[in-house]
């Protein structure tokens, strides 16, 4: 496995590669969710590239950029075990030199849910992913279903900017009690960790209601919200039943629907989602 920190070093390694390149962009502090993306990339491509870059532009000033967990050596060991070929781990200055002034702004799908709660977040994600795709030139890029809105935003960029990369979305990897794997789970103390299972419980309730033929989206939202509110450590940011493609809120479930949640458990903001059909 080769580890490179500059764009020019990466390009030197990339240039002779002729077969397919599978790319897993990450912010590091890898967990089993990331590793499932790397495994799928390994199974489908002749070369596997992962990036580790905690992207400052997708964090608002009051968010957790400084405290975001980092463990570069552990990440490299895990990527090595999964037979990653190249790790691209640029510095902040490499990605955003002082002259940097071009941004990628995706409309519509970024306007609700995460986009509404975290202004500027998707502009940072869209910009860094576009830059990474330009550097890595991947055949396929792998993202987790846990960040469902992010995956839709990236699909939009690829379609709108005519990028020659296939976006592969991999199912959410969960702990045995249903909590979606996330680097931010490390912020939870034992009581909060227990309380955090309420997200999966609420999503499972939504799916059960839908399977029992409930079509009224508001009824499902309300039942999810009242289940979450029974957990004293939980504070709801949003509970959504939305069109799985556009993320528009539904009144009646008459197409593929996604239940999505953002909930604070203590100070930790967690998101999760589940397809209802
Ligand atoms: O999902 C993430 O870890 C990040 O948003 C990404 C895609 C690596 C961009 O910084």
């Amino acid at each position: 496995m080769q580890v490179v920190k500059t764009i020019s070093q990466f390009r030197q390694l990339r240039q002779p590669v002729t077969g397919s390149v599978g790319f897993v962009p990450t912010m590091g502090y890898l967990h089993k969710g990331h590793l499932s993306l790397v495994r799928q990339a390994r199974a489908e491509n002749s070369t596997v590239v992962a990036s580790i870059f905690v992207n400052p532009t997708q964090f608002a000033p009051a968010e957790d950029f400084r405290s975001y967990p980092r463990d570069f050596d552990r990440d490299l060991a895990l990527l090595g075990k999964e037979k990653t070929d190249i790790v691209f781990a640029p510095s902040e200055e490499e990605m955003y030199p002082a002259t940097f002034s071009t941004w990628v702004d995706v409309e519509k799908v970024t306007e609700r849910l995460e986009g509404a709660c975290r202004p500027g977040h998707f502009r940072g994600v869209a910009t860094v992913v576009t830059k990474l795709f330009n550097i890595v030139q991947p055949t396929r890029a792998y993202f987790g279903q846990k960040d469902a809105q992010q995956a839709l935003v990236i699909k939009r960029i690829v379609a709108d900017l005519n990028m020659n990369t296939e976006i592969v979305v991999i199912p959410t990897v969960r702990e045995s009690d249903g909590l979606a794997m996330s680097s931010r789970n490390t912020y939870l103390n034992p009581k909060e960790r227990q309380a955090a299972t309420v997200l999966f419980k609420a999503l499972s309730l939504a799916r059960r209601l839908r399977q029992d033929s409930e079509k009224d989206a508001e009824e499902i939202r309300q039942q999810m919200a009242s289940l979450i509110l029974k957990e004293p450590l939980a504070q709801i940011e949003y509970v959504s039943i939305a069109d799985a493609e556009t993320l528009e809120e539904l009144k009646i479930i008459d197409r593929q629907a996604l239940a999505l949640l953002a909930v604070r458990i203590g100070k930790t903001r967690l998101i999760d989602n589940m397809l209802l059909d």
Side-chain angles (χ1 to χ4, degrees):
M1 187 171 78
Q2 311 233 41
V3 181
V4 290
K5 300 207 167 180
T6 69
I7 297 164
S8 68
Q9 284 168 336
F10 181 83
R11 287 199 163 130
Q12 269 173 28
L13 292 179
R14 174 69 177 91
Q15 207 247 330
V17 174
T18 49
S20 62
V21 173
F23 177 42
V24 183
T26 82
M27 298 208 298
Y29 212 73
L30 304 180
H31 50 68
K32 286 181 190 151
H34 295 111
L35 300 181
S36 77
L37 307 183
V38 178
R39 247 167 246 156
Q40 180 115 358
R42 181 71 284 164
E44 294 178 351
N45 300 278
S46 49
T47 299
V48 174
V49 176
S51 62
I52 300 176
F53 179 62
V54 186
N55 174 35
T57 67
Q58 66 189 75
F59 291 82
E63 289 183 353
D64 56 343
F65 172 66
R66 296 271 155 233
S67 57
Y68 195 83
R70 292 161 169 89
D71 192 340
F72 190 59
D73 293 339
R74 180 174 160 274
D75 290 342
L76 291 186
L78 291 168
L79 291 170
K81 265 195 205 146
E82 299 299 335
K83 302 191 173 52
T84 306
D85 297 296
I86 308 175
V87 178
F88 176 54
S91 66
E92 226 174 292
E93 297 70 40
E94 184 72 6
M95 293 298 274
Y96 297 109
T99 50
F100 186 84
S101 36
T102 303
W103 298 93
V104 179
D105 245 315
V106 179
E107 296 177 349
K108 294 191 185 121
V109 69
T110 58
E111 281 158 18
R112 46 196 127 247
L113 305 173
E114 288 304 283
C117 294
R118 303 181 67 189
H121 170 68
F122 284 124
R123 184 170 96 137
V125 171
T127 302
V128 82
V129 169
T130 302
K131 285 168 69 66
L132 289 168
F133 281 12
N134 281 334
I135 297 162
V136 175
Q137 299 284 312
T139 316
R140 301 184 185 88
Y142 295 80
F143 294 88
Q145 171 64 24
K146 176 174 162 283
D147 295 302
Q149 192 172 11
Q150 169 172 281
L152 290 172
V153 170
I154 290 160
K155 282 184 177 170
R156 194 69 267 140
I157 297 171
V158 165
D160 290 352
L161 301 183
N162 312 100
M163 292 176 169
N164 199 14
T165 296
E166 181 191 340
I167 302 304
V168 185
V169 182
I170 304 288
T172 304
V173 178
R174 298 182 180 282
E175 304 283 0
S176 56
D177 60 5
L179 179 67
M181 300 259 176
S182 163
S183 306
R184 289 191 170 99
N185 291 350
T186 52
Y187 298 153
L188 301 167
N189 68 30
K191 265 192 169 169
E192 292 169 340
R193 171 64 188 81
Q194 178 55 38
T197 56
V198 78
L199 280 87
F200 181 68
K201 287 179 189 147
L203 293 170
S204 305
L205 170 65
R207 183 177 271 180
R208 252 188 340 267
L209 290 168
R210 180 70 197 111
Q211 280 165 353
D212 292 345
S213 305
E214 181 60 77
K215 280 188 168 223
D216 181 345
E218 188 52 27
E219 174 64 27
I220 300 182
R221 277 182 215 108
Q222 279 181 14
Q223 290 209 33
M224 292 171 76
S226 54
L227 186 150
I228 296 166
L229 291 174
K230 284 190 190 125
E231 171 49 65
L233 294 178
Q235 255 187 304
I236 296 174
E237 281 202 4
Y238 59 77
V239 173
S240 163
I241 304 291
D243 179 308
E245 289 300 314
T246 64
L247 296 187
E248 274 161 31
E249 286 303 314
L250 293 175
K251 280 197 170 113
I252 298 296
I253 304 181
D254 53 3
R255 62 198 97 159
Q256 177 81 276
L258 200 56
L260 305 105
L261 285 175
V263 177
R264 275 184 198 277
I265 303 289
K267 287 197 174 122
T268 305
R269 185 175 185 280
L270 300 176
I271 61 170
D272 199 354
N273 67 84
M274 200 181 271
L275 273 172
L276 293 188
D277 298 301

